Amino acid sequence: QPIRTIQEYETLVLDEKDKLVIIRFHAPWCKVCKTTSVAFERCATKIQRAHPQKTIFYSVNIDGSKETNEVRDLILKVHGLDVRGVPMGMLFHPREQGIVGKVRLNRKQLSVLKQKLEMYLQEEVDLISLFGDLEML
């Protein structure tokens, strides 16, 4: 589901109370974004169907309208996360005080992210210890 405005970001991400939020940042001119888009969507659909109470997936086109650029700027202001390179993923959890991980979403790192999400959702490990090293940019 795309996030297009600051209001949507605040409502869908910042106001989330329980779920792990995974946001994919992408741009239409990015070749890697295009080649990993289907794999990310499959991963998101599979995990979302299996664990709808624990996860939610969104996307932000950083090369879009004035509104989506404002969303990118808000993320920088609120979280200190500068989204310059794409595709990039951000994992946000309200109980853990915000961002718990960020990762470049190329094919290799997408596979790592999927494995870590599955481990977390099977409750094998806690969120911070699992995603704390996920700053693979």
Side-chain angles (χ1 to χ4, degrees), residues 1-68:
Q1 174 180 352
I3 295 176
R4 294 186 179 97
T5 66
I6 289 175
Q7 182 179 2
E8 286 178 347
Y9 182 80
E10 290 173 343
T11 301
L12 299 172
V13 179
L14 298 180
D15 291 347
E16 176 57 52
K17 302 294 185 224
D18 297 310
K19 295 179 184 178
L20 176 63
V21 178
I22 299 96
I23 303 174
R24 175 180 176 259
F25 298 92
H26 61 93
W29 46 262
C30 170
K31 290 182 183 181
V32 177
C33 296
K34 291 176 186 177
T35 61
T36 58
S37 177
V38 172
F40 180 83
E41 291 301 322
R42 283 184 188 147
C43 173
T45 300
K46 179 182 176 185
I47 290 172
Q48 186 68 43
R49 284 184 183 157
H51 303 279
Q53 71 284 5
K54 290 186 174 184
T55 60
I56 188 103
F57 289 79
Y58 297 111
S59 66
V60 175
N61 176 354
I62 68 160
D63 195 34
S65 65
K66 177 183 176 229
E67 289 81 12
T68 56

Side-chain angles (χ1 to χ4, degrees), residues 84-124:
R84 290 183 185 226
V86 289
M88 189 180 101
M90 178 182 83
L91 289 84
F92 177 90
H93 200 285
R95 289 192 311 256
E96 302 298 341
Q97 308 304 315
I99 296 175
V100 293
K102 55 186 177 178
V103 61
R104 176 78 57 160
L105 287 176
N106 57 33
R107 286 213 183 270
K108 180 181 176 185
Q109 300 300 14
L110 184 57
S111 177
V112 170
L113 175 62
K114 182 180 176 183
Q115 290 172 350
K116 287 185 178 242
L117 284 171
E118 288 171 351
M119 288 173 62
Y120 164 68
L121 294 168
Q122 293 170 6
E123 299 180 12
E124 293 177 10

